[in-house]
Amino acid sequence: LIPAALQMPLTAIVDRCAQRPPEEALPELIAQLGNPEKSARSRAALALGRIGPRAAGALPALRQALQDPEKDVRLMAEDAVGRIAGKN
């Protein structure tokens, strides 16, 4: 079984997250890092990076995403870790 959050269209998830405080969006964005679609994982990492230090709770999942088979996802995760940790 795939969790409902992973079955939603990416645009719906992004729209829903944009309407909430960043801290409330974290669980959904973290879940998207496990989405089978490369673009969903990449956009989730991008969004987490844009939240910055307030997304510190996502660091373990982002560090895992540094091992993603897709280069784009790895690059977005690397950037996000830097932004959250205050290195970018």
Side-chain angles (χ1 to χ4, degrees):
L1 285 173
I2 297 174
L6 298 180
Q7 296 177 11
M8 291 179 66
L10 181 59
T11 53
I13 292 165
V14 171
D15 288 346
R16 196 163 77 189
C17 289
Q19 296 170 8
R20 296 172 20 207
E23 296 81 4
E24 291 181 19
L26 288 182
E28 207 157 352
L29 291 170
I30 291 168
Q32 288 305 306
L33 292 173
N35 192 304
E37 291 185 35
K38 171 180 84 167
S39 63
R41 297 191 310 274
S42 181
R43 287 184 180 189
L46 176 65
L48 288 163
R50 288 184 175 167
I51 292 171
R54 294 178 295 165
L59 283 172
L62 284 165
R63 287 190 178 112
Q64 220 175 359
L66 294 172
Q67 305 303 314
D68 195 279
E70 297 292 338
K71 184 178 181 179
D72 293 345
V73 176
R74 292 192 308 268
L75 291 173
M76 287 292 128
E78 182 178 14
D79 183 67
V81 168
R83 289 175 183 269
I84 293 166
K87 297 178 182 175
N88 287 357

